[in-house]
């Protein structure tokens, strides 16, 4: 195991997930042991503390090479699907994450569905839609699933609301199918498939693993909230909030999860040459009768779920990441703050998610030092003309709170979030009422 502070480089666009890793590693090891390379058009918010700006992937790789890290973290799927992993390999830099083959688990949902079925794991039935006018294409799917269905793009799309959509009725389904096809043509220039899936009812849980290709750690339960409005209404965001529960799963449920989902899946991935060293994220649905189905597989951590989980991790993150890369995770004990609940709350820009490019309104603070592991920037940049901080993205800041109960953790996150105000700011306010949804699966009542 590594004894000194490992040197870790993060390359990304500056989302809350990346900043959560950065601030955690900075606190553990200091600025000399962490490098955060930002591929953004705005000046880095935190300059001179191991944060650098790169105007291209080539520049990012050059900066990382000069830093000479033990490993490189690439957490954003949009970057994982570019040539950046290959460029890192050519530069003899070791990336903690999926290889080209395992990337297909997230790049293609139909490939993922086939893998899940081949592993003998439950997943919702699906039906590939023909290339025909939306009303005609949806006809056969409606005959199977009725109007209560989910539409999914096979190929990964930048807009999460278009990757997966739960339309309200047939007219909305036709409109969404047209929008998905338009996005596919714009982003990929090809007629990739869209498929309909049976809409399952139950409790959705985000399952995260630290995985070294052989050994895995099951992270505490987490749950994210995609809907933009209170009452879980309105369009999907990329993630409006999340909870993490340090107490872990009930033993009987963890046993069921392990035996029916995790072990069959990991064994199948190894047989098919799809194993890798990094993070694995499963979206699962637990039906009222207790059956667990896998809705999706991601080969990187979720945003904001991983932010909530890092707030609960009670070990040396840098050393753990290096153990994952070397295949030595079995040598380290998984340690979590079992008496804590973590809450992550995004403050969002006016019009998000309907408006993809928000107005660059001024934030109430001009101090970048306000940002920390408890208050993370995401859609924040600096106005080059006057140095003011302005809104640059739909999800603006992510506030983190930890406490003995979900309600107290959310109160702390809300108080931190309110420190930064701007015109049109909005955030979920009803999450305390939803925190008990996972109680049947948790080791302790929260």
């Amino acid at each position: 195991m590594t004894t000194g502070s490992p040197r870790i480089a993060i390359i990304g666009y500056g989302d809350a997930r990346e900043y959560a890793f950065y601030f955690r590693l900075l606190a553990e090891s200091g600025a000399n042991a962490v490098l955060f390379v930002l591929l953004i058009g705005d000046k880095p918010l935190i300059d001179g503390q191991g944060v650098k700006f790169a105007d291209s992937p080539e520049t990012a790789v050059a900066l990382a090479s000069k830093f000479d890290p033990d490993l490189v973290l690439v957490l954003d799927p949009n970057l994982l699907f570019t040539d950046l992993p290959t460029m890192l390999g050519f530069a003899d830099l070791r990336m903690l994450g999926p290889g080209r083959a395992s990337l297909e688990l997230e790049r293609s949902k139909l490939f993922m569905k086939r893998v899940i079925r081949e592993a003998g794991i439950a997943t919702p039935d699906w039906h590939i839609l023909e290339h025909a006018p939306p009303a005609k294409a949806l006809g056969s799917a409606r005959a199977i699933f009725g109007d209560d269905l989910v539409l999914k793009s096979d190929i990964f799309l930048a807009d999460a609301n278009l990757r997966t959509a739960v339309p309200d009725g047939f007219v909305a389904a036709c409109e969404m199918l047209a929008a998905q096809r338009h996005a596919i043509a714009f982003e990929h220039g090809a007629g990739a498939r869209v498929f309909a899936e049976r809409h399952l009812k139950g409790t959705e849980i985000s399952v995260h693993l630290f995985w070294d290709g052989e050994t895995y750690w099951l992270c505490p339960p987490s749950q994210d909230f995609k809907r933009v409005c209170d009452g879980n209404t309105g369009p999907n965001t990329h993630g409006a909030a999340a909870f993490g529960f340090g107490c872990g799963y009930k033993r009987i449920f963890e046993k069921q999860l392990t035996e029916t989902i995790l072990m069959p899946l990991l064994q199948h991935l190894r047989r098919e040459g799809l194993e890798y060293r990094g993070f694995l994220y499963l979206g699962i649905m637990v039906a009222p009768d207790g059956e667990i189905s896998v809705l999706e597989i991601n080969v990187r951590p979720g945003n904001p779920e991983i932010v909530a989980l890092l707030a609960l991790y009670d070990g040396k993150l840098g050393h753990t990441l290096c153990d994952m890369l070397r295949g030595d995770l079995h040598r380290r004990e998984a340690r979590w703050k079992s008496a804590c609940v973590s809450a992550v709350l995004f403050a969002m820009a006016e019009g998000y998610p309907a408006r993809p490019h928000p107005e660059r309104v001024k934030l109430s603070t001009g101090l970048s030092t306000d940002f920390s592991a408890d208050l993370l920037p995401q859609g924040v940049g600096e106005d080059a003309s006057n140095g003011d901080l302005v809104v640059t993205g739909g999800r603006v800041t992510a506030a983190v709170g930890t406490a003995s109960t979900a309600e107290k953790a959310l109160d702390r996150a809300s108080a931190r979030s309110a420190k930064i105000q701007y015109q049109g700011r909005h955030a979920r306010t009803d999450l305390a009422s939803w925190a008990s949804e996972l109680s049947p699966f948790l080791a302790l009542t929260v």
Side-chain angles (χ1 to χ4, degrees):
M1 292 190 289
T2 302
T3 54
S5 294
R7 296 171 64 81
I8 297 175
I10 305 167
I11 299 177
Y13 293 121
D15 66 25
R17 163 183 47 198
E18 295 159 353
Y19 272 109
F21 276 89
Y22 163 73
F23 280 118
R24 177 63 177 266
L25 294 169
L26 185 68
E28 284 183 3
S29 306
N32 291 332
V34 58
L35 174 69
F36 189 3
V37 182
L38 285 165
L39 283 160
I40 56 176
D42 295 285
K43 178 183 176 182
L45 293 172
I46 304 166
D47 203 5
Q49 295 186 66
V51 181
K52 300 293 183 182
F53 168 72
D55 58 2
S56 68
E58 290 80 5
T59 303
V61 173
L63 288 169
S65 294
K66 186 176 180 181
F67 181 68
D68 191 25
D70 294 297
L71 66 86
V72 178
L73 278 176
V74 180
L75 304 169
D76 192 301
N78 294 289
L79 278 177
L80 287 171
F81 295 146
T82 68
D83 291 333
L84 179 62
T86 301
M87 294 167 62
L88 291 170
F90 285 149
D92 290 326
L93 295 173
R94 302 185 68 189
M95 186 185 81
L96 180 65
R100 186 178 296 274
S102 49
L103 267 174
E104 287 302 304
L105 290 167
E106 188 165 355
R107 192 198 305 267
S108 169
K109 287 188 180 295
L110 287 172
F111 177 80
M112 173 203 72
K113 297 281 281 186
R114 288 194 294 271
V115 167
I116 294 171
R117 277 283 170 86
E118 289 168 359
I121 296 170
T123 190
D125 294 333
W126 70 95
H127 177 78
I128 299 174
L129 301 180
E130 60 180 309
H131 289 291
K136 182 179 179 182
L138 285 165
S140 55
R142 292 179 78 200
I144 302 170
F145 306 128
D147 282 339
D148 192 16
L149 49 77
V150 181
L151 294 180
K152 293 188 175 182
S153 166
D154 174 31
I155 299 297
F156 183 90
L157 295 175
D159 188 339
N161 201 33
L162 291 177
R163 284 179 233 157
T164 300
V166 185
D168 184 14
F170 181 66
V171 174
C174 290
E175 293 173 350
M176 184 53 65
L177 176 56
Q180 287 173 316
R181 287 173 169 175
H182 177 77
I184 289 170
F186 178 78
E187 294 184 27
H188 300 282
R193 290 168 290 183
V194 177
F195 62 95
E197 185 178 85
R198 187 180 302 280
H199 188 198
L200 299 186
K201 301 295 194 298
T203 303
E204 196 167 348
I205 305 175
S206 297
V207 177
H208 279 70
L209 305 180
F210 288 19
W211 188 32
D212 69 4
E214 288 290 336
T215 302
Y216 74 88
W217 288 357
L218 175 61
C219 298
S222 62
Q223 184 176 38
D224 75 323
F225 298 85
K226 290 284 196 296
R227 298 287 186 170
V228 70
C229 300
D230 286 351
N232 274 343
T233 60
N236 279 337
T237 67
H238 286 74
F243 282 113
F245 300 92
C247 61
Y249 298 94
K250 282 184 177 177
R251 287 187 179 180
I252 188 169
F253 180 75
E254 183 173 333
K255 183 174 185 291
Q256 179 189 5
L257 178 65
T258 300
E259 292 179 353
T260 64
I261 304 296
L262 300 183
M263 292 309 298
L265 177 62
L266 297 183
Q267 289 170 1
H268 184 72
L269 294 181
R270 283 192 287 266
R271 284 196 301 269
E272 297 299 312
L274 298 173
E275 77 273 22
Y276 62 93
R277 296 173 179 181
F279 301 93
L280 185 65
Y281 160 30
L282 309 178
I284 67 168
M285 182 72 78
V286 186
D289 65 2
E291 183 182 43
I292 306 174
S293 296
V294 175
L295 303 179
E296 64 175 342
I297 298 175
N298 292 326
V299 291
R300 41 78 191 180
N303 180 24
E305 295 98 323
I306 194 63
V307 179
L309 293 173
L310 288 182
L312 298 173
Y313 183 53
D314 198 22
K316 288 287 189 181
L317 179 62
H319 292 286
T320 299
L321 297 177
C322 286
D323 285 344
M324 290 166 67
L325 183 65
R326 288 194 301 266
D328 287 340
L329 201 54
H330 63 282
R331 298 186 179 182
R332 194 171 297 274
E333 181 183 359
R335 296 169 55 191
W336 306 94
K337 298 175 183 177
S338 60
C340 283
V341 179
S342 58
V344 180
L345 180 67
F346 266 109
M348 296 170 280
E350 185 172 15
Y352 176 77
R355 184 190 299 173
H357 303 293
E359 185 179 350
R360 292 170 69 94
V361 298
K362 181 180 176 181
L363 274 62
S364 63
T365 176
L367 300 175
S368 61
T369 51
D370 284 352
F371 295 115
S372 67
D374 295 327
L375 185 58
L376 304 160
Q378 174 149 326
V380 180
E382 185 175 290
D383 189 326
S385 65
N386 55 26
D388 289 339
L389 294 186
V390 295
V391 170
T392 60
R395 293 187 294 176
V396 182
T397 61
V400 184
T402 57
S404 58
T405 67
E407 186 173 6
K408 290 179 181 178
L410 183 61
D411 285 344
R412 291 180 179 178
S414 298
R416 286 174 178 139
S417 179
K419 290 180 179 179
I420 296 182
Q421 295 289 326
Y422 49 89
Q423 180 183 337
R425 178 188 179 277
H426 61 102
R428 290 287 295 267
T429 63
D430 67 333
L431 295 174
S433 63
W434 294 90
S436 62
E437 192 176 13
L438 292 192
S439 291
F441 312 101
L442 301 180
L444 297 174
T445 301
V446 294

